[in-house]
Amino acid sequence: MGRAPLRQKGKGRQGIDRRALLVGGGAGAGLLLAWAVWPRSYKPNLNAAPGEFVFNAFLKIDRAGQVIVIVPQLEMGQGITTLLPQILADELGADWRAIAVQSAPESPLYANTLLAREWLASDWTRIGGEAGDWALDQYATRKALMLTGGGTSVPMFHDAYRDAGAAARILLCKAAAKRWNVPWESCDIQEGLISDGGQRTLRFGDVVEAAAAFDLPEILPLRQGMEGRLAGQDLPRLDTPSKLDGSHNFAADIRLPDMVFASIRQGPIGDARLESVNEGAARSVTGFLKLVRSERWVAAVGTNWWAANKALDLADPVFMLDGPPVSDERIDAALEDAFSGSDGRRLYAQGDLLPVFEGATILASEYRVDPGLHLALEPMCATARVTDAGAEVWTATQAPGLARTAIADALGIDRASVTLYPVHAGGSFGRKMDFEAAVQAALIARDMGRPVQLLWSRLEDVIHDRPSPPAHARMAAKLGRSGVIEGWLAKVAAPCAMSQTWARIANGALPHEAAAQSADKATRLAIAGMEIPYAVSNWAIDHYPSDVYLPLGFVRGNAHLHSTFFTESFMDELAHLAQMEAMSFRIQMLGGNPRLAHCLSTAAAMGGWQGGIAGSGQGIAAHRIGDAFGAVLVEAAITGGKLMVGRMVAAVDCGDQVNPDIARQQVESGLIYGLACAMGASVPYDKAMPGRAILGRMNLPRLSDIGEITVELIRSTAKPAGATEIAAPMVAPAVANALFTVTGQRFRSLPLLSQD
Amino acid sequence: MTRFTVNDRPVQYRMDPDTPLLWALRDASNLTGTKYGCGTGDCGACTVDIDGEAVRACQVSLAQTEGRFVTTIEALSPDRGHPVQQAFAAENVSQCGYCIPGMVMAASVLLRRNNDPGDEEIDAAITNICRCGIYPRLRGAIKRAGRIMRGEEQVAAAPPPGITPEEAARTVPALRKP
């Protein structure tokens, strides 16, 4: 892992916040003027060890010829630390065995403007069109908004890594050409060797120092031809070896001299304050050192984590809760009330539904989705050392710049005095967009005057998960004579988890405050994925915002998780009512969407689709997220009251994938995540607490629950899309549709079967 | 005071004898390859080998480990050369990697007893939880490890640790000695 320098170049916060206000206020003209006078280019702020030469923000090469690729994105298991280097190495012509990876320091050059556009788009930026996107890009860049999530990493950075590789190839060729006294255009690089087009070769290390000093041409020529290309090869993941022998260090594997271990309690869900704690009981534990209290949490510190956690149990902290305690009843009531409240808005409308629906037979169905837990196997954790010189924090975070700000604010120190060492995440699924543990660890470490490792217990991780949002949907449609949908209306009541997450991580809102702030704001983020890919002349989507008193968070698939369940389950109902076979029913409305149609027909052909007839146990679903398209066919049954999914067949078109096997792995991963959503990964809530917190009672799939799984990656030359998000949302509706064929019953709630 | 053997070394932990083995390994011995995922014996991320059995280290105390032989992921092989490790690399199994040490330990214990297990035996032995979804590749990888153990296949998919720059330069033409 790369280590950021202790004092990084950081922009002062004050100047930036004024712009943040402008973004929030939506003063378009003022915004453009204010930014026009800002510097437009940034230099890489990479450290170079002796013998290393910085080529650009994404690449260093050393005298031995080691190609050190800089990766700003958080590795959460989806292979980004292999994919981005592979794109660069392919364009450079490097030998894969010479590739090394370092984490990036914070810099505007690594801002994820793609996710920022998606996340922060508002009505006024959409009205602004390209100018609106430009404004968001500028905002994200100025703030050095480094973000990982939403499957944006490859689409966001693909061209940057390709260009970085091309630039380095040209510089190396120029240096070699000068030595050989030939034109640089005649040189090429293959398998890590520079050649003059004939017999002579040089290694990177032979010319690296001279190469870094050459200038680049105005236009970067990209590599031509397919010979010796690394792109499209199933190269081995760079993070594999250390993950096999236990040497891969996660945040809780950091060991520092004099370090101690902490466990934490934050009370029930909501606006909770620490009331009292029995320190005497804690002191009876061997290895217990100290209780560290804050307004909203208490941590026990010990010489080992078990002692700390046991002391905390015995200390039996008592909290006082303000405001309504979350419960299942309250969640349901809040969502139903939202439908009749005044905050709902029509966010998508095409054609005119009114005349279509008037006096017609309308088919209607209601669906619901429960909050879904992340349950990454690695609980929230961070290791921190705070001295007079500043704070150092080791943690896995999807938003490192914002985490750094939050740590500095909590400690009341300058942002430049906070060093964040990015470590890989032991799973995240969106949970590590928040960074509570990093802030808490820093505060505890300061209090202790020695390094502290804070690890949340599984119990704490479940209570204070920020689940995917619960949602209710009221779907209505009118079918035409030939089985065509003439009108489609979807009303969705759901809190906006992404708005809440942003309020927490960017604006420092407490979880219950963030939930309340977004309670009356209808937004497309909460219903992403509800825009149907099918050709329907008249359709509309309404969002009814709500606060369910359960803080919610970023998650794999985000709103698509519930949107696809609603849309694809309802599509299946309509197909049956139209007495049409469910795949053809969809494909007849996909004339304008050949890639999605191709996914559907491929999944159907590979899975031996029997038309969804009664007794077949087969179900199908399709979905699109941005430039990723997919379809899933499953075979499912209920045996002894338990959901059994015998087969899953996925056909996915995510454009041109640099490493097809990693793309397949991502799709497999999504299928299992989606299966978990169908089976469980959810808890009941009562009196501001989850009803279960033991991992074994979460109904997560284990190996014995997994049948035959087939993933077909459709070859495509389209630009690459993220493959991490597309599969998960399709599984639950496909399973629900399959269960209908064997039970005659519609499964309109997620998880599909009652958990208790 | 509890004494037993960890990775072929005799150890004595000055900790509360009720401490689960997991925390002695992680916080006292710095053997951090064994992971905490749940503390209730459900996830299997802390699986170690005790006297040839796959045991959840969060579920046995130091007192219960007295006199026994514990092997952790760090000592399964000196060079990632165990058939399970090589098969996992060859099949591109790992994703986030957090569950992997426990999975590897559970699979290695299974294969030591039966190097040609069927699906049902594999499912019964591997009850570990993975949230990333390595499951679709898991049975195949374990069977492949079995083939390696039976001498039917050779795999060298993951390089050993500690390759020096000089050794690398001898093997990879693109590299030179620093």
Side-chain angles (χ1 to χ4, degrees):
Chain A
M1 296 293 297
R3 296 285 151 88
L6 185 63
R7 287 180 191 281
Q8 297 174 328
K9 279 183 200 163
K11 298 265 167 208
R13 289 192 70 214
Q14 286 171 343
I16 292 172
D17 279 351
R18 197 167 58 81
R19 270 91 191 164
L21 278 176
L22 285 175
V23 166
L31 189 76
L32 304 189
L33 286 175
W35 271 326
V37 297
W38 279 40
R40 280 168 181 278
S41 64
Y42 300 89
K43 288 201 165 62
N45 57 342
L46 296 173
N47 276 352
E52 288 180 359
F53 299 89
V54 176
F55 277 70
N56 49 54
F58 304 100
L59 176 65
K60 299 188 287 184
I61 299 177
D62 74 5
R63 280 210 176 90
Q66 195 174 200
V67 176
I68 303 155
V69 183
I70 311 300
V71 174
Q73 301 306 92
L74 172 67
E75 178 64 73
M76 299 179 275
Q78 279 76 47
I80 197 66
T81 41
T82 300
L83 297 176
L84 295 179
Q86 189 170 346
I87 293 164
L88 190 152
D90 170 63
E91 186 60 41
L92 172 58
D95 187 317
W96 189 241
R97 293 169 296 180
I99 304 294
V101 182
Q102 282 183 3
S103 294
E106 193 180 345
S107 163
L109 293 164
Y110 309 117
N112 186 345
T113 54
L114 197 58
L115 184 52
R117 278 186 195 184
E118 196 181 302
W119 204 341
L120 306 178
S122 59
D123 287 346
W124 76 266
T125 60
R126 271 190 284 271
I127 289 164
E130 280 184 21
D133 281 346
W134 180 85
L136 286 173
D137 289 358
Q138 292 294 308
Y139 172 74
T141 306
R142 305 294 183 200
K143 280 210 136 190
L145 265 184
M146 293 165 68
L147 299 168
T148 308
T152 57
S153 294
V154 167
M156 172 70 217
F157 289 107
H158 178 277
D159 289 0
Y161 280 78
R162 183 197 60 198
D163 294 353
R169 176 168 45 78
I170 290 160
L171 295 174
L172 290 163
C173 283
K174 279 191 168 184
K178 186 167 186 211
R179 196 178 287 190
W180 289 323
N181 201 19
V182 297
W184 69 267
E185 291 87 347
S186 69
C187 298
D188 191 22
I189 302 180
Q190 295 271 6
E191 292 173 32
L193 293 173
I194 315 164
S195 78
D196 63 350
Q199 295 301 309
R200 287 183 292 188
T201 62
L202 282 168
R203 292 167 296 194
F204 292 179
D206 299 324
V207 293
V208 60
E209 187 165 7
F214 278 90
D215 288 329
L216 283 169
E218 289 278 313
I219 295 168
L220 289 179
L222 296 179
R223 181 177 284 285
Q224 303 296 317
M226 293 308 294
E227 187 133 342
R229 297 295 293 260
L230 296 179
Q233 285 194 43
D234 295 334
L235 295 178
R237 287 174 62 136
L238 297 171
D239 55 351
T240 289
S242 63
K243 285 178 175 174
L244 293 173
D245 64 2
S247 62
H248 197 89
N249 278 341
F250 297 93
D253 300 334
I254 303 297
R255 291 292 175 268
L256 301 171
D258 202 32
M259 190 182 85
V260 287
F261 300 86
S263 182
I264 197 165
R265 293 282 186 283
Q266 302 157 94
I269 299 161
D271 183 5
R273 284 186 169 78
L274 181 66
E275 276 275 297
S276 64
V277 57
N278 181 354
E279 183 150 8
R283 270 196 227 107
S284 68
V285 176
T286 310
F288 166 77
L289 294 171
K290 190 180 175 186
L291 287 179
V292 178
R293 294 173 180 80
S294 124
E295 192 191 357
R296 293 181 182 274
W297 48 258
V298 55
V301 184
T303 54
N304 66 82
W305 185 85
W306 183 78
N309 192 55
K310 185 178 177 189
L312 203 46
D313 280 343
L314 293 174
D316 196 19
V318 175
F319 290 82
M320 185 63 85
L321 183 71
D322 247 358
V326 61
S327 66
D328 282 357
E329 292 73 27
R330 210 164 240 127
I331 293 173
D332 279 344
L335 293 176
E336 286 303 307
D337 289 350
F339 281 122
S340 50
S342 56
D343 297 323
R345 273 176 61 196
R346 180 145 298 179
L347 297 179
Y348 294 92
Q350 185 171 313
D352 192 358
L353 267 180
L354 205 59
V356 179
F357 276 10
E358 209 165 46
T361 307
I362 306 298
L363 307 165
S365 266
E366 296 190 8
Y367 298 87
R368 50 172 291 165
V369 169
D370 286 347
L373 298 174
H374 296 88
L375 303 175
L377 214 45
E378 176 196 40
M380 297 297 269
C381 59
T383 304
R385 175 162 58 196
V386 180
T387 64
D388 292 342
E392 296 166 280
V393 180
W394 290 256
T395 197
T397 166
Q398 294 174 247
L402 299 175
R404 197 169 163 217
T405 304
I407 294 163
D409 288 352
L411 293 174
I413 62 175
D414 187 54
R415 202 171 175 280
S417 311
V418 177
T419 305
L420 196 67
Y421 301 102
V423 290
H424 293 184
S428 172
F429 321 109
R431 181 64 181 94
K432 279 147 190 160
M433 193 63 86
D434 282 270
F435 35 68
E436 305 96 309
V439 174
Q440 293 159 349
L443 289 169
I444 301 166
R446 183 177 64 180
D447 190 286
M448 294 301 293
R450 59 201 285 196
V452 168
Q453 181 162 91
L454 171 66
L455 174 66
W456 287 17
S457 66
R458 175 55 59 189
L459 171 71
E460 198 64 16
D461 202 73
V462 170
I463 299 171
H464 290 285
D465 194 5
R466 309 283 177 238
S468 57
H472 287 190
R474 296 180 177 175
M475 311 289 288
K478 169 159 189 297
L479 279 172
R481 282 234 179 90
S482 53
V484 166
I485 301 172
E486 293 179 345
W488 171 286
L489 172 61
K491 300 178 174 201
V492 179
C496 184
M498 285 179 77
S499 303
Q500 292 187 23
T501 307
W502 185 256
R504 290 193 301 265
I505 66 174
N507 304 330
L510 289 166
H512 66 275
E513 294 169 351
Q517 283 167 19
S518 65
D520 59 352
K521 294 176 186 66
T523 165
R524 292 187 181 193
L525 286 175
I527 54 162
M530 290 300 295
E531 324 93 279
I532 44 174
Y534 307 104
V536 174
S537 307
N538 307 286
W539 59 277
I541 317 283
D542 299 344
H543 175 224
Y544 298 86
S546 181
D547 180 3
V548 297
Y549 311 108
L550 176 67
L552 305 160
F554 208 91
V555 70
R556 179 179 218 164
N558 283 318
H560 293 267
L561 276 183
H562 55 248
S563 295
T564 315
F565 181 64
F566 300 150
T567 299
E568 286 298 290
S569 298
F570 193 49
M571 282 296 288
D572 204 72
E573 295 202 45
L574 294 176
H576 277 85
L577 289 165
Q579 295 183 311
M580 280 183 73
E581 176 266 298
M583 183 190 66
S584 311
F585 178 70
R586 287 173 169 84
I587 284 185
Q588 64 165 351
M589 289 177 276
L590 284 176
N593 200 335
R595 292 176 74 184
L596 194 59
H598 188 199
C599 290
L600 261 170
S601 55
T602 305
M606 290 183 58
W609 175 241
Q610 297 162 23
I613 53 169
S616 68
Q618 290 187 338
I620 205 162
H623 192 53
R624 170 189 187 171
I625 301 179
D627 294 320
F629 304 80
V632 166
L633 180 152
V634 303
E635 287 180 4
I638 297 174
T639 311
K642 193 176 183 319
L643 175 63
M644 310 290 279
V645 178
R647 284 175 76 208
M648 291 199 266
V649 179
V652 167
D653 175 356
C654 292
D656 188 13
Q657 289 290 319
V658 66
N659 190 316
D661 196 48
I662 291 179
R664 272 191 293 274
Q665 205 178 21
Q666 291 172 348
V667 174
E668 289 163 18
S669 176
L671 292 173
I672 305 298
Y673 199 82
L675 179 62
C677 294
M679 288 173 61
S682 189
V683 287
Y685 290 92
D686 189 30
K687 299 190 179 76
M689 291 290 272
R692 288 186 294 263
I694 293 174
L695 207 57
R697 293 188 58 212
M698 298 294 177
N699 228 5
L700 299 174
R702 296 181 196 249
L703 183 59
S704 56
D705 296 307
I706 307 300
E708 185 190 329
I709 290 184
T710 312
V711 173
E712 176 70 9
L713 211 58
I714 291 170
R715 287 173 73 93
S716 169
T717 52
K719 65 178 179 174
T724 54
E725 311 282 288
I726 184 68
M730 297 187 285
V731 176
V735 172
N737 298 341
L739 292 181
F740 175 74
T741 69
V742 285
T743 64
Q745 209 190 325
R746 284 287 168 190
F747 291 80
R748 299 193 180 98
S749 298
L750 201 58
L752 297 172
L753 306 187
S754 170
Q755 299 299 293
D756 294 296
Chain B
M1 206 60 67
T2 44
R3 298 172 195 209
F4 49 94
T5 306
V6 175
N7 297 341
D8 288 332
R9 291 184 187 183
V11 291
Q12 177 178 325
Y13 289 107
R14 288 191 214 152
M15 300 170 92
D16 183 336
D18 286 342
T19 307
L21 173 64
L22 170 64
W23 301 106
L25 295 173
R26 287 188 57 81
D27 295 353
S29 293
N30 290 338
L31 292 167
T32 53
T34 307
K35 306 297 184 199
Y36 167 80
C38 66
T40 47
D42 292 302
C43 76
C46 65
T47 304
V48 296
D49 179 330
I50 303 183
D51 296 335
E53 303 271 346
V55 175
R56 311 286 217 238
C58 71
Q59 296 296 297
V60 291
S61 68
L62 292 182
Q64 290 166 323
T65 317
E66 177 94 50
R68 302 173 75 180
F69 286 78
V70 178
T71 304
T72 70
I73 185 72
E74 285 87 355
L76 181 67
S77 67
D79 56 0
R80 307 177 186 129
H82 190 280
V84 172
Q85 290 170 315
Q86 290 297 325
F88 270 42
E91 301 276 330
N92 192 22
V93 170
S94 56
Q95 293 188 33
C96 86
Y98 201 81
C99 75
I100 295 292
M103 293 275 186
V104 169
M105 293 310 291
S108 71
V109 168
L110 165 71
L111 290 171
R112 195 184 308 128
R113 291 212 189 119
N114 174 6
N115 65 17
D116 192 11
D119 285 349
E120 284 184 10
E121 287 158 286
I122 293 175
D123 290 0
I126 311 295
T127 54
N128 305 30
I129 292 173
C130 164
R131 281 293 275 153
C132 297
I134 65 165
Y135 300 131
R137 293 168 187 238
L138 202 45
R139 292 190 197 104
I142 292 171
K143 287 179 182 173
R144 190 164 182 181
R147 290 199 298 278
I148 300 170
M149 284 177 125
R150 301 198 301 274
E152 295 168 18
E153 191 177 332
Q154 284 192 320
V155 171
I163 297 174
T164 64
E166 288 75 18
E167 287 168 332
R170 273 200 293 278
T171 316
V172 181
L175 294 172
R176 56 177 213 167
K177 281 186 203 169

